Amino acid sequence: MYSAAITGTGVFTPDNVITNDELVAAYNAYADRRNAENAEAIAAGEAEPVPHSSAEFIVAASGIENRRVMDKSGVLDPDRMYPRLAPRPDDQPSLMAEMALDAAGKALAQAGLEPGDIDAVFCAASNHERAYPAIAVEIQDLLGAGGFAFDMNVACSSATFGIQTAADMVRTGSVRRALVVNPEICSGHHEWRDRDCHFIFGDVATAVVVERDEGLTRPHWKIRSTRLATKFSNNIRNNDGFLRRAHDQMEDRRDMQFVQEGRKVFKEVLPLVSRHIADHMAAEGVTSADLSRLWLHQANKTMNDYIGKKVLGRDPEPGEQPNILQDYANTSSAGSIIAFSHHSEDLEPGSLGIICSFGAGYSVGSVIVERA
Ligand code: COA
């Protein structure tokens, strides 16, 4: 058996920013239009008016201030409220592949590697823009990587599940270097017309290089241990899928975008994640005093504050548990990797940290890393 290390990370950040104020103005315009259309039914008590949203609520409930998206105009058009992304012919790179390539290039540069050094590519994300061929195989081809590639989907936990998959293959020697990419076009499966969640998501892509820990000369992160868990729940769900046609349900229904019971998710996922991290640390003989940093899934600031306090046994010091959700919103599987990529290089050799992602499934994955 070999040891595995993370030697490079990269983040592709879309140019388009949507502030809470812009988002709320578009949503409220949509609500006003719907209410004007349904004025008679609302006045007769036969229909409920669409309620307004507010930027104050969004910041207080989630900590989110901005989100990045691949297309802004469609999302902010009150007559549309979802992105406008031109279909691409089959001989053009898919959008997910294009985003992933940008992040992959940055991760490879940090690792000091060429694409041909990579033996395996995993595209681990909440959604894949087509059924097949796998986006990962397209990325492998566009990049010029060797070996093999496949897609994975474990919703918001896809990145840590991808890192364990890569690390296990590196440990056994079946591959020497793997690339895990997480292109997330959350704007495409998000319901921008539902005020309970319209502020949650953003788009991004991340990439992580995992390789054999042997003769490494650049600063890197030893993967001390990984741990995954799942427990079925319907509280975060999307019913879109390939049987739509067979179900005679081609129309755009609410449950064919992201749906969640936010309060239940809060109550059930917080203990699940806190216990998962505590058990993982205990099994590895790591105490809270040993930890320099936590890079958590970026869904909700209150959630992260709670988990940080549980894991450390005290309020985290500023910088100990960096959040990026104020700038990116929830970017599904990519969130904890953005936090890791942006807030890890300052740590001294020997420092320990945990990358942890969690979400639909339910699913939770943790990776204990040591700076070297
Ligand atoms: N603007 C103004 N008011 C709003 C609103 C908005 N955009 N959205 C909801 N409200 C109202 C609700 O109608 C409710 O009003 P009521 O008390 O009169 O019924 C009140 O604000 C509280 O709503 P609630 O949905 O209970 O808010 P919350 O504090 O639970 O926050 C989330 C909502 C989504 C931010 C929160 O539940 C969450 O983050 N949950 C976990 C999400 C998560 O991790 N998901 C994983 C996805 S990968």
Side-chain angles (χ1 to χ4, degrees):
M1 290 287 270
Y2 301 97
S3 295
I6 293 175
T7 56
T9 59
V11 180
F12 161 75
T13 301
D15 291 335
N16 306 308
V17 180
I18 300 181
T19 65
N20 283 347
D21 285 340
E22 287 175 295
L23 185 78
V24 166
Y27 169 86
N28 287 346
Y30 156 79
D32 290 343
R33 286 180 198 191
R34 289 305 306 269
N35 293 339
E37 279 162 20
N38 292 331
E40 277 182 28
I42 293 168
E46 292 158 8
E48 288 292 322
V50 180
H52 271 195
S53 181
S54 83
E56 295 71 35
F57 174 87
I58 294 171
V59 174
S62 69
I64 295 166
E65 295 167 25
N66 299 293
R67 69 281 301 138
R68 305 285 185 136
V69 289
M70 295 307 289
D71 171 64
K72 181 169 171 173
S73 65
V75 168
L76 294 184
D77 177 350
D79 289 324
R80 184 176 171 97
M81 305 288 280
Y82 46 87
R84 198 175 277 113
L85 301 171
R88 294 177 172 198
D90 289 356
D91 61 357
Q92 302 268 311
S94 64
L95 189 55
M96 282 180 73
E98 195 174 278
M99 294 165 70
L101 277 182
D102 182 284
K106 291 169 182 160
L108 288 171
Q110 193 180 56
L113 296 175
E114 296 297 325
D117 297 326
I118 296 294
D119 308 318
V121 178
F122 309 120
C123 180
S126 287
N127 285 275
H128 293 91
E129 73 183 82
R130 61 170 178 264
Y132 43 80
I135 307 289
V137 179
E138 184 186 0
I139 294 167
Q140 175 199 19
D141 180 63
L142 291 168
L143 205 54
F148 62 93
F150 58 80
D151 287 350
M152 301 174 59
N153 178 355
V154 202
C156 289
S157 299
S158 297
T160 49
F161 278 61
I163 289 173
Q164 172 160 319
T165 304
D168 284 351
M169 289 186 189
V170 168
R171 286 175 188 132
T172 59
S174 64
V175 305
R176 181 159 186 137
R177 299 187 187 93
L179 178 71
V180 183
V181 290
N182 320 104
E184 294 284 8
I185 312 177
C186 299
S187 58
H189 67 95
H190 191 24
E191 184 47 90
W192 299 92
R193 294 166 293 196
D194 180 344
R195 89 162 177 165
D196 289 347
C197 67
H198 77 115
F199 50 89
I200 290 181
F201 283 117
D203 301 336
V204 82
T206 51
V208 175
V209 175
V210 177
E211 60 178 307
R212 188 184 297 176
D213 189 355
E214 203 176 85
L216 299 175
T217 51
R218 296 178 177 229
H220 57 273
W221 289 93
K222 291 175 180 296
I223 299 180
R224 286 262 297 250
S225 171
T226 57
R227 178 175 282 218
L228 311 177
T230 49
K231 183 181 189 307
F232 186 66
S233 166
N234 276 321
N235 289 329
I236 310 170
R237 190 166 170 126
N238 183 332
N239 281 332
D240 200 2
F242 79 104
L243 291 180
R244 245 199 211 211
R245 183 183 65 165
H247 292 156
D248 295 316
Q249 287 170 354
M250 292 305 284
E251 78 281 9
D252 182 28
R253 279 195 336 221
R254 173 67 190 93
D255 67 329
M256 290 173 171
Q257 282 83 41
F258 166 87
V259 180
Q260 77 165 353
E261 295 280 348
R263 282 277 147 151
K264 286 188 188 163
V265 174
F266 233 104
K267 276 198 192 128
E268 293 171 7
V269 166
L270 286 178
L272 187 76
V273 172
S274 308
R275 203 166 44 243
H276 177 93
I277 297 177
D279 290 350
H280 191 183
M281 288 168 61
E284 294 302 320
V286 172
T287 68
S288 55
D290 301 327
L291 282 182
S292 296
R293 202 152 293 173
L294 287 170
W295 301 279
L296 300 178
H297 175 48
Q298 301 287 313
N300 185 294
K301 182 176 183 303
T302 309
M303 237 170 162
N304 284 4
D305 290 346
Y306 177 97
I307 294 167
K309 194 170 179 176
K310 275 272 176 201
V311 170
L312 298 175
R314 57 176 168 77
D315 287 323
E317 297 290 330
E320 249 182 332
Q321 183 202 289
N323 282 326
I324 54 86
L325 57 83
Q326 63 282 2
D327 302 319
Y328 284 87
N330 181 346
T331 49
S332 196
S333 70
S336 58
I337 305 300
I338 306 174
F340 177 63
S341 186
H342 287 182
H343 299 282
S344 57
E345 284 186 26
D346 58 308
L347 290 178
E348 296 295 324
S351 305
L352 288 186
I354 299 184
I355 305 168
C356 180
S357 54
F358 46 85
Y362 297 129
S363 55
V364 50
S366 49
V367 183
I368 301 180
V369 290
E370 178 185 336
R371 187 69 168 159

